[in-house]
Short mmCIF file of all heavy atoms in Angstrom, two decimals:
data_model
loop_
_atom_site.label_atom_id
_atom_site.label_comp_id
_atom_site.label_asym_id
_atom_site.label_seq_id
_atom_site.Cartn_x
_atom_site.Cartn_y
_atom_site.Cartn_z
N LEU A 957 102.11 77.29 89.26
CA LEU A 957 102.29 78.73 89.56
C LEU A 957 103.74 79.13 89.33
O LEU A 957 104.04 80.18 88.76
CB LEU A 957 101.93 79.01 91.02
CG LEU A 957 100.49 79.38 91.34
CD1 LEU A 957 100.33 79.57 92.84
CD2 LEU A 957 100.06 80.65 90.62
N GLN A 969 105.95 83.74 96.76
CA GLN A 969 106.11 83.59 98.22
C GLN A 969 104.76 83.72 98.92
O GLN A 969 104.41 82.91 99.78
CB GLN A 969 107.08 84.67 98.72
CG GLN A 969 107.35 84.63 100.21
CD GLN A 969 108.25 85.78 100.67
OE1 GLN A 969 108.99 86.37 99.86
NE2 GLN A 969 108.20 86.12 101.94
N ARG A 1021 105.82 103.60 85.28
CA ARG A 1021 104.90 102.52 84.96
C ARG A 1021 103.82 102.44 86.04
O ARG A 1021 104.14 102.43 87.22
CB ARG A 1021 105.70 101.21 84.92
CG ARG A 1021 104.89 100.01 84.53
CD ARG A 1021 105.79 98.82 84.27
NE ARG A 1021 106.44 98.92 82.96
CZ ARG A 1021 107.25 97.98 82.47
NH1 ARG A 1021 107.52 96.91 83.18
NH2 ARG A 1021 107.78 98.12 81.29
N SER A 1047 105.37 91.73 90.23
CA SER A 1047 105.37 90.71 91.28
C SER A 1047 104.89 91.30 92.61
O SER A 1047 104.05 90.71 93.30
CB SER A 1047 106.79 90.15 91.42
OG SER A 1047 106.89 89.36 92.57
N LEU A 1065 83.60 92.59 105.96
CA LEU A 1065 82.92 93.65 105.20
C LEU A 1065 82.90 93.27 103.71
O LEU A 1065 83.71 92.47 103.26
CB LEU A 1065 83.65 94.99 105.42
CG LEU A 1065 83.70 95.41 106.90
CD1 LEU A 1065 84.68 96.55 107.13
CD2 LEU A 1065 82.32 95.79 107.40
N SER A 1082 109.00 117.82 94.33
CA SER A 1082 108.25 118.98 94.84
C SER A 1082 106.76 118.64 94.86
O SER A 1082 106.33 117.68 94.22
CB SER A 1082 108.49 120.18 93.92
OG SER A 1082 107.84 119.97 92.68
N ASN A 1293 102.93 94.46 105.28
CA ASN A 1293 102.49 93.30 104.53
C ASN A 1293 103.66 92.36 104.29
O ASN A 1293 104.71 92.80 103.79
CB ASN A 1293 101.90 93.74 103.18
CG ASN A 1293 100.51 94.33 103.37
OD1 ASN A 1293 99.67 93.76 104.06
ND2 ASN A 1293 100.26 95.49 102.77
N ALA A 1319 94.61 94.49 109.13
CA ALA A 1319 93.37 94.71 108.37
C ALA A 1319 92.56 95.91 108.86
O ALA A 1319 91.57 96.29 108.23
CB ALA A 1319 92.50 93.45 108.43
N GLU A 1364 89.70 74.61 114.81
CA GLU A 1364 88.89 73.64 114.07
C GLU A 1364 89.76 72.60 113.37
O GLU A 1364 89.37 71.46 113.20
CB GLU A 1364 88.10 74.40 113.01
CG GLU A 1364 86.62 74.14 113.03
CD GLU A 1364 85.91 75.13 112.13
OE1 GLU A 1364 85.90 74.92 110.89
OE2 GLU A 1364 85.40 76.12 112.66
#
Side-chain angles (χ1 to χ4, degrees):
L957 270 177
Q969 181 183 339
R1021 183 169 283 182
S1047 169
L1065 301 167
S1082 70
N1293 284 314
E1364 233 169 80

